[in-house]
Amino acid sequence: MLMQKQFSLLAGLSVLIASVLTAQEAKRQPLSLEVRAELETVRIQPDGRRLVELVSAEKVLPGETIVYTITYTNPGEIPAENVVINNPVPEEMMYLDGSAVGEGTQIDFSVDGETYGKSADLVVSLSDGTTRPAEPGEYRAVRWTLVEDIPANSSGFVRYRAILR
């Protein structure tokens, strides 16, 4: 409402401002996101070294680790600002403690999929009305807040691991 009043009070300037905003918006495009779920496998090399590989998770058995990678791309001509990526942990999966990564991000967790916080601050309510600290396996979502803008025509990724129950 305030913006409309300013435009009407500055009618000569409003066309210029509207043109600049339209041109700016034309350069801004939505981020594209690609989510991959891959099976983490370990192969022992002939020299005894362990080689960790990520392969398509076509068939997963209980106890196996899945790596979720969210690749984000800014296809626009201007930086993407205030980017937050929320990713639920699938119900049949258990988040693996300390596995969430993302360069240049602040990472928070949720036990209910709505309220986020640092792992040390999360609690679970018990049936008797008391609470206890949440365990990583109880996290239902991971949130990455990028601390810097995503430059135009660039991409990055965030990732976490979870184990099939």
Side-chain angles (χ1 to χ4, degrees):
M1 192 64 134
L2 183 57
M3 292 297 266
Q4 289 175 343
K5 285 186 178 182
Q6 287 177 339
F7 287 148
S8 64
L9 292 173
L10 303 170
L13 191 58
S14 66
V15 174
L16 176 60
I17 292 172
S19 296
V20 170
L21 289 175
T22 302
Q24 187 80 341
E25 286 304 312
K27 293 179 183 181
R28 184 181 317 273
Q29 294 182 19
L31 289 179
S32 71
L33 295 175
E34 176 192 353
V35 180
R36 289 188 323 271
E38 298 171 299
L39 183 63
E40 185 175 72
T41 62
V42 178
R43 282 192 324 168
I44 305 299
Q45 299 292 83
D47 62 2
R49 288 183 300 131
R50 293 171 40 112
L51 177 64
V52 178
E53 295 179 315
L54 298 177
V55 296
S56 178
E58 295 174 20
K59 190 174 189 180
V60 181
L61 300 173
E64 290 185 316
T65 300
I66 299 296
V67 178
Y68 290 92
T69 303
I70 300 98
T71 301
Y72 55 86
T73 302
N74 177 7
E77 297 178 31
I78 59 176
E81 304 168 329
N82 305 315
V83 175
V84 176
I85 300 171
N86 293 325
N87 190 225
V89 176
E91 189 65 35
E92 63 277 1
M93 304 300 293
M94 185 172 64
Y95 171 79
L96 188 57
D97 190 25
S99 68
V101 296
E103 188 175 331
T105 65
Q106 173 184 315
I107 303 171
D108 295 303
F109 303 95
S110 176
V111 293
D112 62 8
E114 296 176 22
T115 308
Y116 288 84
K118 297 289 174 215
S119 56
D121 299 330
L122 296 177
V123 295
V124 174
S125 298
L126 303 175
S127 59
D128 65 2
T130 61
T131 61
R132 65 166 172 73
E135 296 176 12
E138 296 171 312
Y139 299 169
R140 300 310 334 135
V142 183
R143 178 176 71 189
W144 295 266
T145 302
L146 280 74
V147 295
E148 295 183 6
D149 297 344
I150 302 171
N153 296 306
S154 67
S155 62
F157 71 92
V158 294
R159 174 179 285 166
Y160 74 95
R161 289 172 166 70
I163 297 172
L164 181 62
R165 296 178 193 267

